[in-house]
Amino acid sequence: MPDTVGLPAEPRAALQVERLRSLVRRLTTCGNTFWSERLSEVDPSSVTTLQDLPSLPFTVKADLRDTYPLGMVTTPLTDTTRLHASSGTSGKPTIVVYTPHDLAVWAEVNARSLALAGTRPDDILHNGYGYGLFTGGLGLHYGGERLGCTVVPVSGGNTALQLQLLRDLGSRVMSATPSFSLLLAERAREQEILGDLNVEIGILGAEPWSEGMRTRIQDAWGGGFTALDIYGLSEVIGPGVAMEAPDDLGALNVFDDHFLPEVVDPESGEVVPDGEWGELVLTTLTKQAMPVLRYRTGDITRILPDPGPPDRHWTRIARLTGRSDDMLVVRGINVYPRQIETVLMDDPDVGANYAIVVDRRGPMVELRVRAELGDTTAEIPEVTDRLQKVLMDRLRVRTPVELVPPGSMPRTEAGKVKRVFEQVDDTDPLG
Ligand code: DLL
């Protein structure tokens, strides 16, 4: 069985520092131009404790873009066997490359994630993450196989086939984006087959999702379903960097023998004390083909200083609340989409589907929200009014709300859900 426990603090720190030192040594000597330049001032033998980590330089997304496509690969291509990519917002995809050892580590951390969630070797894993360049599908796939599950590589889309397979195979565990998992539950309910399904565990990630969304997803599956959070990013490995466990909801266990976490102030780059919010920075301790040193993820979290359940030692971080670059500036006020999701999901009369429009037509940016009503008999003007008041209260920005009938907004069947839409002319960005 994969390790779901981790190492106690002392041996862990010893292992981490040894791995960090050998990573820095390798990066300075492997002959890769990017790393020779980035580490020209660094003496690998000066890395003797984890306290030396903040003196090492960051890696940022732009480094991957600037060295596109393969400039950060540190091994000969004869040693590499896989490539993935994530679609960048600015045109070029971010390419990541793996050696067989990297793939073995990746399978292991995904097997750990599945096992932490309660998946067993005799489970049929319904894997609804997209297969292809996206890391979600193949990441969970190899993790499931490593654990000994029977993996159904169904990928995203085609909800009718997904429901048929879920029903006929009786899968107890599904992996998918939270939005796709919700869609499957909604469709199962519409087709009146929810009661025939046996799904108990959802391994949900790749998108931010709030606690309110967790409740919506669990309710949509009709009770008896635990929605658990899995975190990861292509630049570091893909899914399987950190995983939530059912006995410790709200915390992600970082597999810190492979991925060394820090949290820094997004502005200054200074490490913040444990417990304080900031940007997650990750160092890959064992990656061969494309390691990253102090990679600025852009994801906002904090290190949870208190120990989790006894006998489990992983570094715990809070579930991600969004990305620093998600922040919208509206009339000089910073607004995070997650704040809006929280207000909507906390309201019992609102459904689980919503979209935020950032209207840039006028001289001042305006925000508005469209959300589906839930299963409710409440009066629309009353709910609208209430939501607008709470949004004003929380965001300090006027945010008109339009409530639409349940099921009337488009659903994302493949890939990551899009919640924020820009409006630049009179065409309604929500169609
Ligand atoms: O989304 C890897 C993945 C696949 C994770 C399947 C979990 C499950 P990328 O496409 O490179 O990789 O996107 C990474 O997605 O920096 C976060 O901003 C966001 N993200 C991923 N997981 C979570 C999560 C995959 N659980 C980016 N909560 C990351 C919030 C998440 N955001």
Side-chain angles (χ1 to χ4, degrees):
M1 282 295 279
D3 178 10
T4 52
V5 172
L7 285 171
E10 267 182 39
R12 173 177 71 206
L15 179 74
Q16 287 172 329
V17 83
E18 180 199 312
R19 289 183 167 176
L20 178 66
R21 196 170 28 214
S22 78
L23 169 69
V24 175
R25 194 176 306 119
R26 200 164 74 71
L27 291 178
T28 47
T29 55
C30 66
N32 173 290
T33 317
F34 169 83
W35 284 112
S36 308
E37 284 169 14
R38 179 60 51 94
L39 297 176
S40 59
E41 315 262 288
V42 174
D43 171 7
S45 60
S46 68
V47 180
T48 55
T49 76
L50 289 177
Q51 274 68 49
D52 298 320
L53 185 59
S55 67
L56 297 172
F58 289 120
T59 317
V60 293
K61 180 106 181 167
D63 294 328
L64 282 98
R65 215 179 301 134
D66 296 346
T67 56
Y68 176 88
L70 300 174
M72 285 177 70
V73 180
T74 65
T75 50
L77 286 183
T78 46
D79 293 349
T80 58
T81 50
R82 178 88 68 77
L83 180 150
H84 281 279
S86 71
S87 49
T89 38
S90 58
K92 282 184 199 167
T94 302
I95 287 190
V96 289
V97 179
Y98 304 73
T99 64
H101 180 265
D102 295 333
L103 293 174
V105 168
W106 194 23
E108 173 65 17
V109 291
N110 278 280
R112 288 179 185 176
S113 302
L114 288 161
L116 256 182
T119 315
R120 303 183 303 248
D122 64 347
D123 272 312
I124 295 179
L125 170 64
H126 183 96
N127 187 18
Y129 284 115
Y131 280 65
L133 288 174
F134 176 53
T135 53
L138 287 170
L140 267 301
H141 182 102
Y142 284 98
E145 287 190 352
R146 189 171 180 102
L147 183 60
C149 300
T150 305
V151 182
V152 185
V154 59
S155 195
N158 203 343
T159 48
L161 173 67
Q162 304 247 355
L163 292 178
Q164 185 186 352
L165 289 170
L166 282 172
R167 187 184 52 195
D168 295 349
L169 296 169
S171 305
R172 205 174 63 90
V173 187
M174 72 160 339
S175 42
T177 58
S179 52
F180 192 60
S181 160
L182 181 70
L183 172 65
L184 284 178
E186 285 176 349
R187 292 278 157 83
R189 192 174 291 261
E190 279 160 27
Q191 294 174 25
E192 297 180 357
I193 58 163
L194 197 57
D196 302 337
L197 306 186
N198 188 33
V199 193
E200 292 172 15
I201 301 172
I203 315 276
L204 313 183
E207 312 166 339
W209 53 298
S210 61
E211 286 300 324
M213 187 60 85
R214 189 202 308 265
T215 310
R216 298 307 165 96
I217 293 170
Q218 294 185 160
D219 289 352
W221 280 101
F225 178 92
T226 309
L228 297 170
D229 196 1
I230 183 165
Y231 170 75
L233 64 166
S234 324
E235 296 89 323
V236 167
I237 205 155
V241 171
M243 181 70 207
E244 188 175 34
D247 58 354
D248 187 23
L249 294 182
L252 293 170
N253 297 277
V254 182
F255 299 125
D256 49 22
D257 50 344
H258 295 293
F259 316 112
L260 183 55
E262 299 169 88
V263 174
V264 305
D265 179 320
E267 311 257 294
S268 69
E270 293 294 318
V271 176
V272 301
D274 284 2
E276 279 186 24
W277 292 93
E279 178 181 350
L280 180 64
V281 170
L282 290 164
T283 296
T284 57
L285 292 174
T286 51
K287 276 274 269 325
Q288 292 180 334
M290 236 179 111
V292 285
L293 194 59
R294 306 193 76 211
Y295 183 72
R296 302 280 299 251
T297 65
D299 295 318
I300 304 295
T301 186
R302 64 193 188 103
I303 289 182
L304 300 174
D306 46 318
D311 304 331
R312 203 150 65 215
H313 308 296
W314 310 110
T315 307
R316 296 158 70 250
I317 59 171
R319 296 183 62 218
L320 290 301
T321 60
R323 298 182 49 80
S324 46
D325 49 16
D326 276 350
M327 190 180 77
L328 305 165
V329 183
V330 185
R331 297 174 182 268
I333 296 175
N334 301 344
V335 177
Y336 285 95
R338 176 63 160 264
Q339 294 172 288
I340 298 176
E341 175 169 308
T342 301
V343 171
L344 297 173
M345 295 305 115
D346 282 352
D347 193 301
D349 295 320
V350 179
N353 283 290
Y354 71 95
I356 300 166
V357 176
V358 186
D359 187 341
R360 300 194 187 275
R361 284 172 300 172
M364 298 284 248
V365 177
E366 307 270 358
L367 218 52
R368 59 176 202 276
V369 166
R370 185 180 295 176
E372 282 183 8
L373 275 168
D375 188 11
T376 174
T377 51
E379 295 291 327
I380 294 185
E382 198 184 299
V383 183
T384 309
D385 214 44
R386 181 171 70 218
L387 287 170
Q388 291 179 167
K389 283 204 179 94
V390 184
L391 285 168
M392 182 67 203
D393 226 44
R394 300 267 179 90
L395 310 180
R396 312 306 309 163
V397 170
R398 200 180 67 89
T399 312
V401 173
E402 179 194 2
L403 290 168
V404 296
S408 63
M409 292 180 68
R411 302 288 195 270
T412 306
E413 295 221 6
K416 303 190 183 206
V417 69
K418 184 168 159 65
R419 299 284 191 200
V420 181
F421 296 79
E422 299 273 327
Q423 179 157 23
V424 288
D425 56 28
D426 290 340
T427 328
D428 180 355
L430 302 180

